[in-house]
Amino acid sequence: MNLIIFGAPGAGKGTQGEFVSKSKSIPAISTGDMFREAVASKSELGKKVSSIMSKGALVPDSIVLKLVEERLRKDDCKSGFLLDGFPRTLPQAKGLEEILARSNKKIDKVISLEVSEESIIKRLSSRRICKNCGRKYNLETLPPKKEGICDNCGGELFQREDDTASTIKHRLSVYFIETQPLIEYYKNQNILQTVNGNKSVPEISAEIAALL
Ligand code: ADP
Ligand code: ZN
């Protein structure tokens, strides 16, 4: 199954994407994670995108499409994949279709997580991540047992550079202008499935499982 998990920043795409990836045995491909890895490894790509990301702006479509095309060519995508954080613009959606068409593939479903703007801002500003194992916490809804320390591995928690107030606002306005129109686009293709993202993590997972 070829899937897209769609939603605003902080809608819970990463968390639910991981769940779908495990239950369907398909790789979860997060362009945001791939770019963060590139930045961390100081690769050529990382140098290009680092300042764009810290501003909360979008990486140019051509760079994103090239990265995704290479990733989808790998063997583990043969029996399906889940895209998280991509496509984010109309040209990216069209580019994805062209990439897939070359190997007679298409997107089967787009799962759209709907969350109110108010709770997005709250979620992003209280999000913390383990430096060591990547587990995500929320200071309000899912705090670690010991402040600043990961329950899972004892690692130190940090806040993503783009999870600060002014950058969050910018990311949201980019989302509303560039990304939200894709909802209509996929609705017109009859592949959009909407899920209420304001519920608890297991409730949302159950709703998604029922759709797949
Ligand atoms: P979130 O969904 O929480 O905003 P991501 O981890 O998906 O975060 O993305 C972080 C940043 O990486 C984005 O703000 C953007 O700069 C860059 N990025 C990720 N995916 C894309 C994409 N498909 N197109 C353009 N830029 C992207
Ligand atoms: Zn950890």
Side-chain angles (χ1 to χ4, degrees), residues 9-10 13 31-33 35-36 52-53 56-59 64 85-86 88 92 124 127 160 162 171:
K13 301 185 296 286
T31 45
D33 284 348
F35 287 132
R36 274 184 292 278
I52 298 175
M53 286 179 76
L58 292 183
V59 173
V64 185
F86 172 89
R88 246 178 165 91
Q92 287 182 17
L124 291 177
R127 172 159 74 182
R160 244 170 68 177
D162 58 354
R171 281 159 66 203

Side-chain angles (χ1 to χ4, degrees), residues 8-9 32 35-36 39 48-60 85 88-89 92 124 127 160-179:
F35 287 132
R36 274 184 292 278
V39 170
K48 261 190 228 161
V49 303
S50 126
S51 71
I52 298 175
M53 286 179 76
S54 55
K55 278 184 235 146
L58 292 183
V59 173
R88 246 178 165 91
T89 64
Q92 287 182 17
L124 291 177
R127 172 159 74 182
R160 244 170 68 177
E161 199 189 349
D162 58 354
D163 276 349
T164 47
S166 66
T167 311
I168 290 172
K169 281 208 189 98
H170 187 64
R171 281 159 66 203
L172 278 177
S173 70
V174 169
Y175 171 77
F176 288 121
I177 295 167
E178 304 275 354
T179 311

Side-chain angles (χ1 to χ4, degrees), residues 58-172:
L58 292 183
V59 173
D61 291 335
S62 58
I63 296 181
V64 185
L65 281 164
K66 188 166 164 255
L67 181 83
V68 171
E69 181 167 23
E70 279 167 16
R71 180 65 186 84
L72 290 177
R73 235 185 262 139
K74 296 205 168 139
D75 268 357
D76 64 343
C77 295
K78 281 219 164 80
S79 56
F81 52 81
L82 173 127
L83 295 166
D84 162 0
F86 172 89
R88 246 178 165 91
T89 64
L90 208 48
Q92 287 182 17
K94 292 188 172 152
L96 172 64
E97 267 161 39
E98 281 164 26
I99 292 167
L100 293 176
R102 274 180 235 138
S103 42
N104 287 315
K105 287 184 187 170
K106 62 175 178 52
I107 294 296
D108 299 303
K109 276 192 178 111
V110 178
I111 303 158
S112 174
L113 287 172
E114 303 211 319
V115 180
S116 69
E117 189 176 347
E118 196 192 319
S119 59
I120 285 170
I121 296 174
K122 264 192 217 142
R123 282 187 192 186
L124 291 177
S125 47
S126 52
R127 172 159 74 182
R128 297 293 183 275
I129 305 166
C130 173
K131 251 181 197 160
N132 186 42
C133 74
R135 182 181 281 197
K136 288 175 187 158
Y137 294 87
N138 183 297
L139 298 186
E140 288 183 27
T141 57
L142 191 75
K145 291 199 181 83
K146 207 171 148 209
E147 198 189 319
I149 304 291
C150 176
D151 297 347
N152 187 39
C153 75
E156 194 186 324
L157 303 187
F158 76 103
Q159 180 171 36
R160 244 170 68 177
E161 199 189 349
D162 58 354
D163 276 349
T164 47
S166 66
T167 311
I168 290 172
K169 281 208 189 98
H170 187 64
R171 281 159 66 203
L172 278 177

